[in-house]
Amino acid sequence: MKIVLRKLTLVLSLCLPIGEISSLYSVSLEFSTLGYEIQWIEKNTKQPFKPPGWSLDLGNRAGEFQEESYLFRRSGQMVALKFKDKNEYEKFNWELDAQLVLNRNDSTNSFYFGKNNYLMYKTPLSNIGVGKKEHLSKPKSFSTYSDGGEGIFVETNPSSELSIQLFLWDRYQGYPLFDKERFFSVLLRPEAPQYEKSHHRRHSFGIKYGNLHSVSFGLQYTEFGTWGKHTREREVDVKEVGADGDSIISSNISLFSDWEFLQLYFDILIVSGTDRTLGNYSKLGNSIPIRGEAFQLGLKGFYQNFTSEWSHFVTDRSERTNENQIVKEGYMLSGTHPGQSYFISQILHIFPSVGLLNAGSEKNYVLYNGRFHSYFSELVLSYQYNDIFFKLVGAYLLPYRVSGVSDGRVSLKKENYESFFFGEVNFEFFVKGNSDFEIGLGVGQFFTPKAVGIEGNFGYFFGRVIF
């Protein structure tokens, strides 16, 4: 079994004095290449497992997949060029972070902005900016989760402990990030349907108080308009009277406490709104009420050179009748995937909730690009010895049952979940020489119960050097 993934990163840093800028102006240019081979296996079980309401195959590739003697290999390569800079000049400050991806097989994106990519102007009362910026109040129970706006925003800091952010307009598109999608196209994917995106927008407000111990509150209003597969608006109606009510209001309350050896995160997530639909998908026939909540808990511990992170996500579910019609939809997740394990978050791209992503409202009970309500947990263990680092990531996803009557509430009872799960383990070993050198290798394994009979594994090498 040959599984090889190779990555080499070259970073060039150019330092140029410019005008009257008080500090040294530096530009970082990064060049990277990536090649990989993944092995994907389906075991020939005597009685294939087919839970009601689910499709565990690869969509349009199911027939071809079965004909490959239960073995599927995928290889490819990628070249990327990244530009990064953060500085200020008089009343302006900016952060630039952009990456051009070339020769990427089956890629949906060839150009990415980083988490923050903006230009901001300082005034006596506040800062006014344009571009892409993370939400100040985003939930942090999962350390790699990100969400933010792409548009026009205002920020102010009345005191050292109080920060406020307002996005006046946001062209939300799922907040794509390269580090969350670099393995997104490892498996062959059927071409995604294209939905009209001529009308959608988001506005958001965030406030944070405290430092070592803090509380933050976030609020976002998202208007679907002609965005997504369930929308019913016609373009002529949108131009004349605007949207017909396809929208959600999302909010979160996040608590954070930092002690000497322990950090604690807790998030309460709430969504309310309406999504128009077609046919008899909903009990109401033409719309789906959205009333959902979710909870997140994150613990991060430190002991000498050991660091551990344990994160949990649990959401409510759809409320359904005896006829399996939806009375209301549950929580809807926005932003990036919360996890950092590659198979679940990128290769298979399984979200632990209905998602408000780059194609609008998404829900799908499949193994591939699945968006469904579930419990999701991730454990990260790391150890540092001088310049040598070890990192172990374990992820576990347990879906709610999708057939039969459901009261739509958050549940931790075993009988409300499916009899199968998705699990994954990743291990990395790397060496860092100060801040100008990094080299390492990693392996990953995806597994399901024997009844499902699907496995996958891969390996990779990565390097980084700065001149």
Side-chain angles (χ1 to χ4, degrees):
M1 184 181 295
K2 182 181 180 183
I3 309 102
V4 181
L5 187 150
R6 300 171 298 275
K7 179 179 178 182
L8 177 63
T9 302
L10 177 64
V11 178
L12 302 177
S13 181
L14 308 176
C15 297
L16 305 172
I18 300 211
E20 300 178 356
I21 299 180
S22 57
S23 61
L24 186 64
Y25 181 82
S26 63
V27 176
S28 175
L29 182 65
E30 177 180 323
F31 173 77
S32 63
T33 62
L34 171 67
Y36 50 78
E37 183 173 319
I38 181 175
Q39 184 150 297
W40 184 252
I41 302 172
E42 180 187 11
K43 297 181 179 179
N44 188 6
T45 57
K46 294 181 180 180
Q47 295 181 344
F49 180 65
K50 295 182 178 180
W54 282 82
S55 174
L56 291 174
D57 56 38
L58 297 180
N60 296 336
R61 271 192 48 83
E64 180 182 350
F65 182 71
Q66 294 283 348
E67 296 171 359
E68 293 178 347
S69 301
Y70 309 101
L71 174 63
F72 176 64
R73 282 186 178 147
R74 176 78 168 97
S75 297
Q77 59 281 333
M78 180 263 310
V79 176
L81 184 66
K82 184 176 183 179
F83 173 86
K84 191 171 184 178
D85 173 48
K86 183 177 182 180
N87 222 304
E88 61 180 59
Y89 177 64
E90 294 183 348
K91 293 186 177 181
F92 290 92
N93 65 31
W94 62 86
E95 187 167 350
L96 305 178
D97 188 352
Q99 188 148 354
L100 178 64
V101 183
L102 305 174
N103 301 324
R104 188 165 181 238
N105 295 344
D106 306 310
S107 175
T108 55
N109 288 318
S110 58
F111 187 80
Y112 287 88
F113 287 119
K115 294 180 181 179
N116 296 292
N117 195 87
Y118 60 87
L119 174 65
M120 193 156 55
Y121 179 75
K122 298 179 181 180
T123 70
L125 298 178
S126 62
N127 300 326
I128 303 174
V130 59
K132 182 176 182 179
K133 205 168 194 300
E134 268 195 308
H135 283 156
L136 174 72
S137 58
K138 73 178 181 68
K140 297 182 180 179
S141 293
F142 287 83
S143 61
T144 60
Y145 170 77
S146 295
D147 194 9
E150 298 180 66
I152 303 171
F153 61 91
V154 177
E155 292 185 348
T156 183
N157 299 93
S159 70
S160 60
E161 292 189 326
L162 181 62
S163 301
I164 301 173
Q165 181 189 66
L166 174 65
F167 260 90
L168 303 175
W169 181 84
D170 171 17
R171 178 70 170 180
Y172 177 73
Q173 56 176 342
Y175 206 68
L177 296 172
F178 176 70
D179 59 352
K180 282 289 187 174
E181 296 188 4
R182 53 184 169 174
F183 296 117
F184 180 70
S185 60
V186 169
L187 291 179
L188 288 174
R189 298 171 177 272
E191 186 174 347
Q194 299 297 318
Y195 303 118
E196 179 61 50
K197 296 184 180 181
S198 63
H199 179 84
H200 70 278
R201 61 181 179 178
R202 182 164 74 163
H203 310 276
S204 62
F205 170 79
I207 183 169
K208 177 184 175 183
Y209 179 78
N211 293 312
L212 290 179
H213 307 284
S214 66
V215 58
S216 59
F217 171 75
L219 184 69
Q220 299 93 37
Y221 167 77
T222 308
E223 189 174 274
F224 297 161
T226 56
W227 190 33
K229 63 181 179 181
H230 294 315
T231 185
R232 294 180 62 249
E233 291 93 344
R234 296 184 306 160
E235 186 67 23
V236 62
D237 295 332
V238 172
K239 290 180 179 179
E240 292 179 0
V241 298
D244 67 359
D246 281 8
S247 61
I248 62 170
I249 296 177
S250 309
S251 62
N252 70 280
I253 299 175
S254 301
L255 306 176
F256 168 68
S257 289
D258 186 359
W259 293 281
E260 185 175 359
F261 299 110
L262 179 68
Q263 292 179 349
L264 172 65
Y265 305 85
F266 180 67
D267 305 304
I268 302 173
L269 315 172
I270 301 174
V271 165
S272 178
T274 302
D275 190 10
R276 305 295 175 181
T277 188
L278 302 174
N280 296 320
Y281 185 62
S282 169
K283 182 181 179 181
L284 300 179
N286 61 357
S287 65
I288 303 176
I290 302 171
R291 305 286 187 274
E293 61 274 343
F295 302 93
Q296 291 187 155
L297 175 66
L299 297 170
K300 187 172 184 178
F302 308 90
Y303 179 72
Q304 295 181 356
N305 294 331
F306 287 95
T307 303
S308 62
E309 299 177 56
W310 197 15
S311 303
H312 304 267
F313 171 89
V314 61
T315 176
D316 65 350
R317 51 210 157 119
S318 304
E319 182 180 347
R320 298 188 304 272
T321 65
N322 288 317
E323 292 77 26
N324 217 31
Q325 290 181 317
I326 293 181
V327 178
K328 72 173 181 66
E329 187 55 86
Y331 180 74
M332 184 174 290
L333 180 70
S334 62
T336 69
H337 194 289
Q340 56 184 295
S341 55
Y342 294 126
F343 264 105
I344 291 177
S345 69
Q346 295 187 33
I347 296 174
L348 294 174
H349 208 223
I350 303 173
F351 272 74
S353 170
V354 175
L356 181 62
L357 306 173
N358 62 331
S361 173
E362 297 185 45
K363 183 177 183 179
N364 198 5
Y365 295 104
V366 296
L367 176 63
Y368 208 41
N369 275 328
R371 286 92 170 87
F372 44 81
H373 303 295
S374 66
Y375 164 76
F376 179 64
S377 177
E378 194 169 68
L379 176 65
V380 182
L381 302 174
S382 58
Y383 174 75
Q384 178 182 357
Y385 178 75
N386 294 331
D387 294 334
I388 302 175
F389 294 79
F390 302 88
K391 182 179 180 181
L392 180 68
V393 180
Y396 176 79
L397 190 149
L398 182 63
Y400 277 110
R401 291 189 183 276
V402 300
S403 60
V405 179
S406 169
D407 60 11
R409 298 175 183 174
V410 176
S411 175
L412 295 177
K413 295 181 179 180
K414 183 178 179 180
E415 60 266 25
N416 290 324
Y417 290 87
E418 295 285 4
S419 58
F420 65 93
F421 64 89
F422 304 132
E424 178 179 0
V425 175
N426 296 141
F427 174 76
E428 284 188 351
F429 162 80
F430 53 97
V431 178
K432 283 186 177 181
N434 297 323
S435 60
D436 57 358
F437 174 79
E438 181 180 349
I439 188 170
L441 56 87
V443 293
Q445 174 75 38
F446 173 79
F447 52 91
T448 60
K450 292 182 179 180
V452 179
I454 296 176
E455 295 180 0
N457 51 56
F458 71 109
Y460 51 98
F461 164 82
F462 56 93
R464 175 183 174 92
V465 59
I466 301 175
F467 298 96

